[in-house]
Amino acid sequence: MSGVHWKATRTSHPARDAALASMDAVSRGAKDEWLSLFADDAVVEDPVGPSAFDPDGKGHHGREAIAAFWETAIAQAERIEFTIEDSFACGNEVANTGTITTHLPDGSAMDAEGVFTYRVDDQGRVTALRAFWEFDRAVATLR
């Protein structure tokens, strides 16, 4: 996983395993593989609340909307790297703390520090991905 720098515990847990698989797919630009990780009725909130990616702040519900989120937010990057400092798995969820670095086609980069949560169903499919990061803080790191 060249685009995932995992400094946290790697103790296997269904939600942690799904989070790792999600980050790995994103870092490789593997859209179909990423989408296959989600349950049919999953929701992605990245970031949580209103943003340029989700003006109403209600999240992207279902695979079609999640695929559109990929095109709007992920596909625009040259590459995306994840550095995870810590990971806390409880019940059917995991909360990871760290930084997502987005490398843009013009050669610039931006860091979004935050807390990234994943909830899975009994089959290990992601039912909710929620990313808590502040847009203005991320933009302030643009270099």
Side-chain angles (χ1 to χ4, degrees):
M1 289 187 271
S2 61
V4 181
H5 313 285
W6 194 270
K7 300 176 180 180
T9 181
R10 281 194 179 261
T11 303
S12 184
H13 178 279
R16 184 176 289 128
D17 297 344
L20 275 161
S22 172
M23 290 179 233
D24 180 52
V26 169
S27 74
R28 292 183 292 105
K31 177 183 177 182
D32 290 339
E33 184 179 326
W34 184 70
L35 289 172
S36 75
L37 298 171
F38 290 90
D40 291 339
D41 60 348
V43 62
V44 170
E45 297 175 80
D46 185 356
V48 169
S51 72
F53 305 130
D54 181 12
D56 294 331
K58 296 179 181 176
H60 308 277
H61 295 262
R63 283 210 187 134
E64 186 175 320
I66 293 169
F69 167 78
W70 175 284
E71 295 304 323
T72 302
I74 298 171
Q76 304 306 311
E78 182 71 27
R79 77 180 191 281
I80 298 175
E81 294 181 274
F82 299 83
T83 302
I84 301 302
E85 299 292 338
D86 217 340
S87 180
F88 305 91
C90 304
N92 62 346
E93 299 188 56
V94 68
N96 301 313
T97 60
T99 304
I100 299 173
T101 301
T102 302
H103 298 270
L104 302 170
D106 66 2
S108 62
M110 181 174 66
D111 297 325
E113 293 179 301
V115 178
F116 312 101
T117 68
Y118 296 76
R119 183 177 2 160
V120 296
D121 61 18
D122 291 340
Q123 290 74 46
R125 303 201 57 180
V126 177
T127 60
L129 186 167
R130 302 182 79 215
F132 296 83
W133 58 276
E134 296 177 30
F135 187 78
D136 291 343
R137 279 178 63 172
V139 169
T141 71
L142 193 61
R143 58 197 179 280

